[in-house]
Amino acid sequence: MDYRDAGVDIEAGRAFVEGIRNLVASTHRKEVLGGLGGFSGCFELPVGYREPVLVSGTDGVGTKLKLAQQLNRHDTVGIDLVAMCVNDVLTVGAEPLYFLDYLASGKLERQQLTEVVAGIATGCKLAGCALLGGETAEMPGFYQPGEYDLAGFCVGIAEKTQMLDGSQVEAGDIAIGLGSSGVHSNGFSLVRKIVSDGNFSWDYCPEALSGNSPGINLGEILLTPTQIYVKPVLAAINAGLSIRGMAHITGGGLPENLPRCLPEDKSISIDPSSWPVPAIFDWLAEAGRVSLPEMFNTFNMGIGFVVLVPPNQAEQTIKWFASQDMPAYAIGEVVEGTGGIFGLPQG
């Protein structure tokens, strides 16, 4: 008896690592020391920081993986994985430096997992960070055939004196919402229940969702990867825009995430009619008979990231993001309060 008899193929694992070597190398920055295959990844701190602070974040993709596995499409969830981590790190003003992934499956399916890593590499390029390494675990008996799970870990850097911690936010600041690419990677347990209970197929093509792409099906729309906001937001800061607070709108939507960038003595008033809600959310609400308050408490509803700016820079900020092909909307205003949010539909 050997390890292969127990369901773990070491040689296949080695071949997989060798096969993704070029994908990993394509993301490397000049600060990366060494290559793939060691016990650890090494990264030299960038020059030019007086008081550098390392900022870390970790996340997964959630049950959106179930959809990818059902449709046998694995090239986008890696982008989701990177996005969920780097967008979080960005909220304090940090630049993502490097990323590591953890990829576990019952049996190493080389083509399937190579597609996953290709997506991770694409996400790293979109965020400007290096894929420094990772772990591939083959765990027979733990996952069903064809199933895998993903987790990611990101480290970024920020100048200590320039980090955003809520104290910079003032009453009157304007909340600029940056458009999402769709459902992103949150709320998929509800999405899957809506589709299952309604006896819909992932191949179903709702007329209301076809837009300019007739024939696009529900599965393709929902697998659209999470928008990565790193480069346009960092470029906005470098262009001199005064961003005083930032929030990544993930699970819990605007009600849970937007207050996290506020000081305790400030609240924020939101106008939910100030941006266009993508059609996928209207379809989910109707198909699942989901109330509007529940939709806002579960999904991003078309706003994936929020930046807070002084009122005299609101119009300039919107125009600047538009020049970067990033839809942006003035969605609310910071007011005196107790750290809450109001103006959204209430249950």
Side-chain angles (χ1 to χ4, degrees):
M1 186 179 294
D2 60 19
Y3 213 179
R4 184 179 296 180
D5 293 327
V8 180
D9 191 335
I10 293 177
E11 290 303 320
R14 288 172 180 158
F16 171 70
V17 171
E18 192 59 36
I20 64 172
R21 187 177 297 276
N22 289 337
L23 287 172
V24 175
S26 71
T27 71
H28 281 182
R29 300 166 43 130
K30 63 182 180 180
E31 296 92 350
V32 174
L33 304 178
L36 192 65
F39 287 100
S40 59
C42 299
F43 194 95
E44 190 173 36
L45 286 180
V47 299
Y49 288 86
R50 299 181 55 146
E51 295 180 280
V53 175
L54 295 179
V55 182
S56 60
T58 182
D59 211 330
V61 181
T63 61
K64 187 174 186 176
L65 291 177
K66 285 284 191 182
L67 175 55
Q69 290 156 20
Q70 283 181 267
L71 297 180
N72 195 29
R73 182 179 172 185
H74 313 284
D75 58 338
T76 61
V77 288
I79 301 175
D80 287 298
L81 180 67
V82 175
M84 298 304 291
C85 297
V86 298
N87 288 342
D88 277 357
V89 165
L90 174 64
T91 59
V92 297
E95 174 193 1
L97 296 177
Y98 60 83
F99 189 87
L100 295 98
D101 67 273
Y102 173 78
L103 177 53
S105 64
K107 178 177 174 56
L108 197 157
E109 300 287 349
R110 184 172 175 181
Q111 180 60 39
Q112 177 196 63
L113 299 188
T114 297
E115 291 178 18
V116 174
V117 175
I120 295 172
T122 297
C124 286
K125 292 175 186 176
L126 291 171
C129 64
L131 178 54
L132 195 59
E135 168 69 9
T136 303
E138 196 171 13
M139 302 166 62
F142 199 87
Y143 297 96
Q144 295 299 313
E147 288 187 351
Y148 57 85
D149 198 10
L150 285 174
F153 312 86
C154 177
V155 173
I157 191 169
E159 188 70 69
K160 185 176 182 179
T161 57
Q162 298 174 9
M163 292 179 67
L164 302 179
D165 59 6
S167 63
Q168 299 91 341
V169 176
E170 298 179 4
D173 285 348
I174 303 298
I176 306 297
L178 305 185
S180 70
S181 56
V183 179
H184 285 184
S185 296
N186 301 104
F188 270 83
S189 294
L190 178 55
V191 168
R192 290 168 49 244
K193 182 171 177 58
I194 291 170
V195 172
S196 174
D197 288 3
N199 293 316
F200 295 104
S201 163
W202 298 118
D203 294 327
Y204 174 54
C205 301
E207 185 177 348
L209 304 184
S210 60
N212 296 322
S213 304
I216 188 169
N217 64 45
L218 196 57
E220 292 173 307
I221 293 170
L222 290 167
L223 277 181
T224 302
T226 305
Q227 179 70 45
I228 294 177
Y229 298 96
V230 173
K231 287 185 177 180
V233 169
L234 290 180
I237 294 172
N238 291 333
L241 295 176
S242 179
I243 294 178
R244 292 174 170 172
M246 292 190 272
H248 182 201
I249 310 306
T250 56
L254 285 163
E256 182 171 323
N257 291 286
L258 191 46
R260 295 166 68 180
C261 69
L262 300 175
E264 293 183 357
D265 62 346
K266 299 291 185 293
S267 293
I268 191 160
S269 174
I270 297 296
D271 177 4
S273 67
S274 58
W275 73 89
V277 175
I280 183 60
F281 297 109
D282 293 329
W283 185 87
L284 288 168
E286 182 178 353
R289 299 189 298 276
V290 184
S291 69
L292 199 54
E294 187 63 26
M295 290 295 294
F296 272 96
N297 279 307
T298 304
F299 301 110
N300 65 62
M301 298 299 284
I303 298 296
F305 202 86
V306 176
V307 298
L308 304 179
V309 300
N312 62 358
Q313 288 198 19
E315 185 176 349
Q316 178 187 358
T317 301
I318 292 171
K319 289 180 178 179
W320 194 93
F321 280 111
S323 73
Q324 306 298 305
D325 296 321
M326 177 64 64
Y329 315 93
I331 66 170
E333 180 181 354
V334 177
V335 295
E336 300 294 342
T338 56
I341 183 172
F342 59 91
L344 296 177
Q346 300 293 314

